Amino acid sequence: MFNQITDPHYICGMQANITIYLNERPLLLCSDQEPIPAHLAAAKVYTNPDTEKMESVLRKLEDGKKETAIFTAPDVKQLFKKVSLHFTTLVAAGGLVTNPAGEVLMMFRRGKWDLPKGKQDPGENLETCALREVAEETGLHTVALEHKITETFHYYPMKNKKVLKHTHWYRMQFTGTELTVPQIEEDIQDLQWVKPENVAKYLKFSYENIREVFRAANM
């Protein structure tokens, strides 16, 4: 079941600037009063884009005809609502799990290193969803949720739908003794506890939104 992001519960908790990744290409949504980030200085800026312009830019990002773009408007939340109308939105939650040694749990799935996450079930709060998904995908049940890290947004095609996945990420601590068990039916091939000094090597073979989670967690 898909949860629409226009629900005020999700809009209110959203960060001021929003980056949506379409096939690893960033679309930044920000206030027209904010300076453009240095790393996106070359991106074309679209101020108050209408529906037709949004559709055109989204399609070019998806198809690789444009590497990045910026939408600006006075109200970023309203801007995001308009952009989200071009997608079916799925709300998810996941975790950045560390153990007492400070190692981070990463999973290898579909050729990339990833973090455990999954869609929110009807009636389930985000914290419960995050813990459930970690348990299902990794086999770890002795996990304590500490605090929220950030939210990420990325697009992917699913059947005939264009899905925008809005994921809420939480910092978690594993304190048990159970061994990891990859959820094979979710295409998880491997689970590894990664030392902090080696995380960057794994992130080279990951996704932009996952790198964003690590940046937000100061790791």
Side-chain angles (χ1 to χ4, degrees):
M1 178 175 179
F2 291 98
N3 299 299
Q4 292 301 317
I5 205 161
T6 47
D7 185 330
H9 174 76
Y10 301 109
I11 296 295
C12 290
M14 197 176 295
Q15 47 257 46
N17 293 345
I18 300 164
T19 301
I20 300 172
Y21 293 101
L22 294 96
N23 293 337
E24 300 295 276
R25 300 176 184 91
L27 169 64
L28 175 67
L29 312 183
C30 64
S31 166
D32 53 10
Q33 303 299 314
E34 293 293 323
I36 301 302
H39 70 286
L40 293 176
K44 186 168 182 179
V45 178
Y46 301 86
T47 302
N48 291 316
D50 59 21
T51 298
E52 185 178 348
K53 179 57 67 176
M54 283 184 180
E55 179 65 32
S56 173
V57 173
L58 290 169
R59 186 169 57 251
K60 287 177 181 178
L61 287 167
E62 179 186 352
D63 294 342
K65 296 178 181 177
K66 187 180 285 290
E67 289 302 314
T68 185
I70 299 172
F71 290 169
T72 69
D75 189 329
V76 178
K77 292 178 182 178
Q78 289 300 319
L79 177 62
F80 181 81
K81 284 184 179 181
K82 292 177 182 178
V83 172
S84 70
L85 294 176
H86 296 267
F87 301 94
T88 298
T89 304
L90 184 154
V91 177
L96 193 161
V97 185
T98 55
N99 62 20
E103 298 167 322
V104 181
L105 185 64
M106 299 192 72
M107 60 170 58
F108 192 73
R109 170 166 46 189
R110 298 169 192 147
K112 298 275 191 177
W113 287 100
D114 204 348
L115 293 174
K117 64 185 179 299
K119 69 177 182 178
Q120 184 182 32
D121 286 341
E124 184 179 47
N125 66 42
L126 291 164
E127 293 83 358
T128 301
C129 172
L131 288 168
R132 175 183 56 76
E133 287 292 340
V134 167
E136 289 177 358
E137 294 195 338
T138 71
L140 301 183
H141 297 273
T142 316
V143 177
L145 188 147
E146 296 183 345
H147 61 267
K148 187 172 180 178
I149 302 170
T150 191
E151 300 170 31
T152 62
F153 305 84
H154 74 279
Y155 151 87
Y156 64 93
M158 186 175 73
K159 297 180 181 178
N160 295 321
K161 296 178 180 178
K162 294 187 175 185
V163 176
L164 180 63
K165 197 167 192 177
H166 177 190
T167 307
H168 299 251
W169 294 97
Y170 295 87
R171 190 69 181 264
M172 300 181 186
Q173 182 72 22
F174 172 64
T175 57
T177 58
E178 62 262 35
L179 299 176
T180 56
V181 180
Q183 190 177 20
I184 302 301
E185 57 266 36
E186 288 293 329
D187 298 324
I188 301 170
Q189 297 172 270
D190 191 19
L191 291 163
Q192 290 190 18
W193 289 106
V194 181
K195 295 182 183 298
E197 61 267 27
N198 293 329
V199 166
K201 298 175 184 177
Y202 284 72
L203 290 179
K204 289 180 181 179
F205 305 96
S206 187
Y207 300 98
E208 288 293 342
N209 63 307
I210 298 300
R211 287 189 275 269
E212 191 174 301
V213 175
F214 279 86
R215 285 194 296 269
N218 295 316
M219 295 186 70

